Every structure is written in C-alpha cells, then in structure tokens.
Amino acid sequence: QVQLVESGGGLVQAGGSLRVSCAASGGTLSHYIMAWFRQAPGKEREFVAAISWSGGRPYYADSVKGRFTISRDNAKNTMYLQMDSLKPEDTAVYYCAGDIQPDPYYNDNDYKYWGQGTQVTVSS
C-alpha cells in the first residue's frame, strides 16, 4: 500500500504564495502518476495538476496555468505544489492522489491512493 500525507496548507492573502507538500510511503512511485485535486465548500472536487513520477512531465488545469508549479523529489518520495499569485477562488482543501495508470489523469475516480487533505485559505 501507498500512504500519502499532505502538509503546508494555511492562510494567505490574495496575491501571495504558498507551497503544499505530499509525502509518500509504503511503495514505489516509479510508474505512478501523482496529482493534486482540490475541493471548495459546495463544489465538486476538481483537478489541479499532475506529474509523471519517472519523467516529471507536468499537467495543469487551465485555471492554474502560469500560477502553480508541480514538482517532485524522487529521493524524498515527495511531491510539491508551489502556488503563486493566489486568488480567493483558490480557497479549498487540497488533496494529493496517486495511481499507476489513471485514465484519464484528470479524473479523480481513476486514482486509488489519497491523502487526507490540507486546507488552503486565500483572503481578499
């Protein structure tokens, strides 16, 4: 089994930056796609970004392109999401997810392993 634990959430003013982390344990991620999803109150969970663990190829939702950067440190089995130019609409619980072959990568139902989530709040 793979266990995922998010950290780094908090309260930030609009225009500010925050970096959230996802630490993985319990298995290899060499063939995994790892992703960030988020869910705001009263809204459905939505795709944010994804990365292939071996090659590091990133994928982004249109709403965060140019503002968020996904990366991973394979030596630490840790994935990061650097969030810049934050907006109040970015406020949500951010979840880390992973699976071997999610198809498609932006579909949350295709991910087997999930973290508990970390709250990100952006004030205006």
Side-chain angles (χ1 to χ4, degrees), residues 39-95:
Q39 187 168 26
K43 297 184 178 180
E44 295 184 352
R45 188 164 56 191
E46 66 174 344
F47 170 77
V48 178
I51 190 168
S52 60
W53 201 255
S54 59
R57 182 183 296 273
Y59 307 89
Y60 297 99
D62 289 341
S63 60
V64 305
K65 286 182 179 178
R67 299 190 299 120
F68 291 9
T69 303
I70 190 170
S71 62
R72 88 276 192 260
D73 185 337
N74 54 6
K76 296 181 178 180
N77 270 10
T78 300
M79 178 177 65
Y80 305 95
L81 185 68
Q82 177 67 43
M83 300 179 287
D84 299 320
S85 301
L86 282 163
K87 306 174 182 179
E89 50 263 44
D90 294 318
T91 296
V93 177
Y94 282 71
Y95 295 94

Side-chain angles (χ1 to χ4, degrees), residues 1-61:
Q1 284 190 343
V2 173
Q3 184 176 354
L4 306 175
V5 180
E6 301 97 333
S7 63
L11 176 64
V12 192
Q13 291 187 353
S17 299
L18 197 66
R19 188 180 73 166
V20 291
S21 303
C22 173
S25 62
T28 179
L29 302 178
S30 60
H31 296 96
Y32 273 58
I33 297 294
M34 298 291 292
W36 290 99
F37 292 83
R38 67 186 183 186
Q39 187 168 26
K43 297 184 178 180
E44 295 184 352
R45 188 164 56 191
E46 66 174 344
F47 170 77
V48 178
I51 190 168
S52 60
W53 201 255
S54 59
R57 182 183 296 273
Y59 307 89
Y60 297 99

